[in-house]
Structure formats: structure tokens, C-alpha cells
Amino acid sequence: STHACEDRFTAIHEALLPGTGALLDVGANLAYFCHHFESLGYECYAVERFPWIALAADRIRIAEGRHFTVISEDLFSAVMKPPLVDRRFRVVLALNICHHFLKRQEVFEKFKEWLPRLDVDTMFFEPHCPEERQMVGAHVNFGPEEFVGFILKHSCLREAQLIARCADGRLLYRLTR
């Protein structure tokens, strides 16, 4: 919620290919993107591992009359059961979240195992800044291009395009099949 959501949504919306379908927001926080993508006709799933944030997101969803699903669980547990298991996604949002999967080896291994199972047409990916203090001592600390290459190598996605530099200076990529 502390990152500029408006500029990211605008960049993503402009880079979207025509159509709708299932959308997964990884580390959804208060589900800002799910509110907007549901308005565009997407069937949205917000995964947020912190229960108190997921509860707030769900209450906001109800108050706004939205129908998307909020899942209060870590990603790698959530994707192993309904409604996410074996689901094909038109879009996955991985915005400023995947660096958390790099910090500890056991989580990195789960991330590496998940990527080949991910069935997605387009991922919007915002990598971290490798110089951030939170990454000191991380198991792996990819630079932006290296991180994009890692995802392309281990997933069904084959092409990457830089679509924006966000207000906070982070890069935003569209990864496609």
C-alpha cells in the first residue's frame, strides 16, 4: 500500500492484451489491483499472507460490493488447493513481492518449484532494488534483468518487455508466453 499503485495500474492497463480471465495478485495487500481489474471483467484472486491485512482487504471488498476472492495464506500453500490449484491465469501480478522469495533458501526452492507449474499468459513483474538493506544476507539477490531472466528460464513465459519506470524508480515488466 506504500507503493504508487495508480502509476502501476495505468502502465499495466495500457500494456494489457485484449480479453479477460482469471487474475492472480501475489502479495495483494489491500487488493487495490483486484478492485480495478474486477471492474474490467477479470475474475480476481488476491493472495495475502498476513491475516490482518487479508481481513482488511476482504472487508473493503465487501464494503465496495466486489466479488473477488481474498486468500489469507502464503502463495506456495495457496496454489496447492482450491480455488488456485491447477488454475490457468490470464494475468499474474507480481509487483514488488518476489524478492521475499529470495531471502531464505527453503522459500527460494518453493518459488523455483512453483514457476514451472504456473499456467499464465502474462505476468506483470516489478522487481526489487538489489541494493536495499532488506536484501543483505539474502540467499539470492538478483538484479532486475537477472530476475526477469530467472523467471523466463523457469516458467512458461518466454518474452519480457520493460513497460514503465514507476514513481518510486522501480522497473515494471510485462512477461508473456
Side-chain angles (χ1 to χ4, degrees):
S1 67
T2 60
H3 296 282
C5 293
E6 296 85 6
D7 66 335
R8 293 187 295 167
F9 176 76
T10 299
I12 292 167
H13 187 247
E14 289 173 358
L16 271 174
L17 300 174
T20 59
L23 177 140
L24 174 64
D25 188 356
V26 178
N29 200 281
L30 297 176
Y32 174 91
F33 294 98
C34 288
H35 284 271
H36 288 285
F37 281 100
E38 184 176 298
S39 294
L40 296 174
Y42 284 82
E43 175 188 355
C44 299
Y45 298 89
V47 175
E48 175 53 54
R49 78 176 181 109
F50 294 112
W52 60 93
I53 297 174
L55 178 62
D58 203 39
R59 288 186 175 167
I60 294 167
R61 177 194 64 79
I62 292 165
E64 293 291 324
R66 298 293 182 187
H67 302 286
F68 60 84
T69 302
V70 177
I71 300 166
S72 178
E73 205 164 356
D74 77 90
L75 173 66
F76 307 117
S77 297
V79 297
M80 297 307 290
K81 54 189 163 198
L84 301 182
V85 67
D86 298 326
R87 181 170 295 277
R88 179 178 181 82
F89 294 100
R90 177 117 195 312
V91 174
V92 169
L93 303 178
L95 307 175
N96 190 32
I97 192 67
C98 292
H99 62 285
H100 294 292
F101 308 148
L102 306 180
K103 293 178 182 180
R104 296 189 348 254
Q105 181 177 357
E106 63 273 10
V107 178
F108 176 72
E109 294 302 327
K110 289 179 182 180
F111 179 51
K112 196 173 173 182
E113 290 170 13
W114 173 66
L115 285 171
R117 294 192 320 259
L118 176 61
D119 189 5
V120 62
D121 295 329
T122 303
M123 176 188 282
F124 289 95
F125 174 65
E126 181 184 16
H128 67 294
C129 298
E131 301 81 23
E132 291 175 347
R133 194 175 80 216
Q134 67 172 319
M135 296 306 292
V136 172
H139 174 67
V140 178
N141 189 13
F142 296 128
E145 291 292 325
E146 187 180 16
F147 208 163
V148 167
F150 174 82
I151 292 171
L152 294 178
K153 178 180 177 184
H154 293 281
S155 71
C156 66
L157 301 165
R158 298 291 168 248
E159 296 182 26
Q161 176 187 14
L162 177 64
I163 61 167
R165 180 176 294 274
C166 300
D168 63 2
R170 291 179 186 228
L171 304 174
L172 182 58
Y173 294 88
R174 179 180 69 189
L175 284 59
T176 55
R177 284 185 181 254

